[in-house]
Amino acid sequence: MIAPRTYRAALPAIGALVAIALASGCGPDDLKAESGGTNGGARSADGFGVSPLDNPDGTKPGLAPLTTDEDRAAARKIIEKVATKGRGPKTGYERKKFGYAWKDGVDGIPLARNGCDTRNDLLARDGKDVEHKSGSDCVVMAMTLQDPYTGESIDWRKQQATKVQIDHVMPLSYDWQMGAAHWNEAKRERIANDPLNLLPVDGPANNAKRDSGPASWLPPYKPVRCSYAVRFAQVSLKYELPVTAADKRAMLARCGG
């Protein structure tokens, strides 16, 4: 896997650039994705998975950078629909108010009631070269993850469980403060286990995020920040949860607004 920004150095001719790309297994659109170009078609850039614009239910893998002017304009239209309000108190928040972690038996969301818990569903969705436990079609023992938050490739094994964590893109305590405190438990279980709101990511990056909104924390890997903002907005809109005005401004700014 070629590290992000490998081809940022200027080359004397377009022909030489393309030749290097072909030799390394990347196409021109991959180069555009890394350099911020506007050539269309890089919707699965760098092996990070699928564009959030093409994945409105979260069932497809990963979170690919949005690199074209057209895609960024589409991203802003989604974000502009998000309502805003002030962040409420965290009083009464507990993780268990959203059900026990990675519950399979949650109605009304994709991948539910398939015999696998949510964590293993997400590892299998986003991982490459996935290895399952002997005799199981569910328990993921090893995989490689192209992490959208850091831009790095992570070789993961179950013995190193916390090396990859499942992030709630819209954090649960944030949800609580923005309105989920008034939901019933069934709806809270849905947002906690909905694949639209979940990404396997680098553990330390997830720990650094905590319950921050986009105004306070964004993925360290800058090319994915617009995509992250779109995914945050998609969750907000699906569950009719507002974001703070500062978070909405930050989301639009990441997509050129």
Side-chain angles (χ1 to χ4, degrees), residues 33-55:
E34 292 178 352
S35 64
T38 58
N39 190 9
R43 299 173 78 90
S44 298
D46 303 322
F48 285 100
V50 177
S51 158
L53 300 175
D54 297 331
N55 193 17

Side-chain angles (χ1 to χ4, degrees), residues 75-89:
R76 292 193 297 274
K77 287 182 179 179
I78 293 172
I79 296 168
E80 284 165 358
K81 297 176 184 177
V82 173
T84 62
K85 78 166 192 176
R87 194 162 174 166

